[in-house]
Amino acid sequence: MTIKDTAEAWETTASATPFAGKKTSVRTDDVVMPDGTVARRDYQVHPGSVAVLALDDLGRVLVIRQYRHPVRQKLWEIPAGLLDVPGENPLHAAQRELYEEAHVKAEDWRVLVDLYPTPGGSDEAVRVFLARDLSEAEGKRFEVAEEEADMELRRVPVDEVVRGVFAGELQNNCLVTGVLSLVAAQQGDGLDALRPAEAPWPARPFEV
């Protein structure tokens, strides 16, 4: 049996935006349920994100450590960022984030996995890329600010990252999903069988 997510939109009888922030907002929709009743649903409206699992020739994952105020923790993560421009090509955004956060470029890009991190409370969609054939980026380093000014950068063997995930020591969703997807792909058809970097993304359509 093959399972597949499908697009569907239930009737909305009313919609409001009680909060609008710099990058995201909160929407309140009155949605008609299958039994005809109407239920109110509050959720975050999000532009979408990209993340990059950068794998070097020694089998190490590039990770960064960053303070995340909502959870009051410094989390080890993979480079990631928002799709700041509507319709932006996610590959270009991912390349920008890898440069800005790690001053690294990659020659080989693939789509590793697409996900909705919290579909019950947000419409955020994330595309996680696999980046290989890494090298130091040319030019001046990107000038970081705020939480990013305190970032720590490391390269960690894949096995050590996986161990940390199952030990409950690493909890960032893109890092967890990315590294476990990497291992699954390696044990399956191989990394070269992953989708191309420009593969369609219905959740966030873009122009190539």
Side-chain angles (χ1 to χ4, degrees):
M1 177 181 175
T2 300
I3 62 172
K4 182 179 179 179
D5 297 336
T6 56
E8 185 169 340
W10 291 1
E11 180 185 359
T12 300
T13 60
S15 184
T17 304
F19 169 80
K22 182 179 180 181
K23 297 292 185 180
T24 68
S25 61
V26 173
R27 182 175 297 161
T28 298
D29 289 345
D30 290 341
V31 185
V32 180
M33 299 289 111
D35 63 0
T37 60
V38 176
R40 180 157 291 179
R41 294 289 179 261
D42 302 318
Y43 59 98
Q44 180 192 37
V45 178
H46 194 286
S49 306
V50 292
V52 184
L53 193 145
L55 184 68
D56 70 15
D57 293 340
L58 298 178
R60 300 175 301 178
V61 176
L62 192 156
V63 293
I64 56 176
R65 192 180 187 215
Q66 185 171 349
Y67 176 66
R68 294 302 187 183
H69 186 71
V71 295
R72 307 302 198 272
Q73 290 196 37
K74 275 192 170 182
L75 300 180
W76 285 102
E77 309 177 349
I78 55 178
L82 298 176
L83 290 169
D84 294 311
V85 181
E88 181 178 18
N89 187 312
L91 173 60
H92 299 166
Q95 291 170 332
R96 179 186 69 238
E97 293 300 329
L98 185 61
Y99 164 74
E100 290 182 356
E101 296 191 352
H103 201 65
V104 166
K105 64 179 182 178
E107 298 301 323
D108 187 281
W109 290 83
R110 313 273 172 152
V111 175
L112 186 55
V113 67
D114 296 329
L115 65 145
Y116 293 112
T118 52
S122 174
D123 70 350
E124 180 183 8
V126 180
R127 169 159 281 188
V128 183
F129 289 90
L130 171 66
R132 294 181 293 173
D133 194 5
L134 309 181
S135 61
E136 189 81 3
E138 295 95 353
K140 186 178 179 181
R141 283 186 173 271
F142 181 78
E143 190 171 332
V144 296
E146 300 178 343
E147 290 94 342
E148 293 182 348
D150 189 47
M151 286 195 310
E152 181 181 347
L153 177 67
R154 288 191 191 176
R155 297 191 183 201
V156 182
V158 171
D159 289 349
E160 177 62 19
V161 179
V162 172
R163 184 209 63 78
V165 168
F166 288 119
E169 298 168 355
L170 301 171
Q171 301 171 72
N172 174 264
N173 64 61
C174 290
L175 173 63
V176 172
T177 303
V179 75
L180 297 185
S181 296
L182 171 72
V183 173
Q186 289 173 325
Q187 296 176 352
D189 294 332
L191 301 183
D192 290 336
L194 291 168
R195 286 174 291 162
E198 301 281 9
W201 190 16
R204 291 295 185 274
F206 62 93
E207 293 184 6
V208 176

